[in-house]
Amino acid sequence: MSTRAWQDRIVGDRMTVDQEFTDAIESSQFSRQQWGLIMTAVEFDIENPDDESAALVADTEKLPHVMDELDDIDARTPMAASDDSGGGILDSISGLFGGGGDDHDEQLAAAERLADRYAEQLQTHLEEQGKWDEIRAAARD
């Protein structure tokens, strides 16, 4: 079975976890729009699907490619100037002039940590629903 097939099986579960994960997003430095963009760059893999140490992990390899776009989202969002999410119009402007290199590294690290938390919560959800073994088996095949 292809990777896509097991991922297709958890679409509904991801929607449930998305709703449950709202508090984590709101307490993070990212807006909901930014989180949505981050998730477009995150893929999920199952490490060691053959044994009990199997874990759902966030593959964040493509995440650096969307980090600049996070600033653009802030610039387009009217509330960004008053938002305490760590970005905003001024940060976007400074980024145009070469500023924000360290900020992007910090943003990337924060996005990776949040994606990892999401993967853990998704795996926990699958386990609680009795679907984890089925998904592991599908990933193995």
Side-chain angles (χ1 to χ4, degrees), residues 82-132:
S82 63
D83 190 1
D84 290 332
S85 66
I89 294 171
L90 293 177
D91 288 339
S92 296
I93 292 170
S94 76
L96 293 173
F97 298 104
D102 288 340
D103 288 343
H104 279 146
D105 291 344
E106 291 173 19
Q107 264 189 325
L108 177 61
E112 289 172 341
R113 285 190 302 273
L114 198 56
D116 289 342
R117 283 182 51 202
Y118 181 92
E120 290 170 12
Q121 189 164 335
L122 179 56
Q123 180 177 337
T124 298
H125 170 82
L126 293 169
E127 289 169 349
E128 290 170 352
Q129 297 301 308
K131 297 179 179 180
W132 179 237

Side-chain angles (χ1 to χ4, degrees), residues 1-115:
M1 184 172 289
S2 72
T3 299
R4 186 81 232 150
W6 74 261
Q7 291 175 347
D8 288 346
R9 288 178 155 184
I10 64 170
V11 170
D13 299 288
R14 286 194 57 188
M15 290 171 52
T16 300
V17 172
D18 287 349
Q19 291 174 349
E20 295 169 354
F21 205 68
T22 301
D23 289 343
I25 297 164
E26 289 176 358
S27 66
S28 78
Q29 69 188 58
F30 302 108
S31 68
R32 289 183 188 192
Q33 293 82 7
Q34 289 175 318
W35 177 246
L37 178 62
I38 288 167
M39 289 304 285
T40 65
V42 174
E43 296 179 7
F44 294 98
D45 295 321
I46 298 178
E47 289 183 345
N48 305 315
D50 294 333
D51 60 50
E52 294 303 313
S53 70
L56 184 67
V57 295
D59 177 354
T60 58
E61 181 179 307
K62 297 176 183 171
L63 203 48
H65 302 292
V66 300
M67 296 314 292
D68 288 336
E69 185 67 25
L70 292 180
D71 292 336
D72 292 341
I73 288 174
D74 274 348
R76 288 189 303 246
T77 306
M79 295 297 292
S82 63
D83 190 1
D84 290 332
S85 66
I89 294 171
L90 293 177
D91 288 339
S92 296
I93 292 170
S94 76
L96 293 173
F97 298 104
D102 288 340
D103 288 343
H104 279 146
D105 291 344
E106 291 173 19
Q107 264 189 325
L108 177 61
E112 289 172 341
R113 285 190 302 273
L114 198 56

